[in-house]
Amino acid sequence: MATPKTTKPPAKDCPVCKGTGEVSRTVRVGRKHRPVGEQTGLCLNCLGSGEAPAD
């Protein structure tokens, strides 16, 4: 008889990026560091996967 397959529980969303894999950062320019806009980048907590890292 074959052994039953076990399934992994569904992965939780990353709390930092909320499952998108990207985060927004404010772009600042000049000597006074005035904000001019935002840009998106890779989430460093989950490395863009959108899943919460295992502890």
Side-chain angles (χ1 to χ4, degrees):
M1 178 184 247
T3 58
K5 293 183 179 180
T6 58
T7 59
K8 293 181 183 178
K12 297 179 183 176
D13 287 344
C14 176
V16 178
C17 65
K18 296 171 183 55
T20 62
E22 294 183 345
V23 291
S24 295
R25 297 290 302 204
T26 303
V27 177
R28 299 177 182 271
V29 297
R31 284 190 321 192
K32 296 182 181 181
H33 295 282
R34 64 182 183 276
V36 295
E38 288 188 345
Q39 68 181 16
T40 59
L42 187 71
C43 176
L44 296 178
N45 191 39
C46 65
L47 299 175
S49 68
E51 299 176 355
D55 289 333

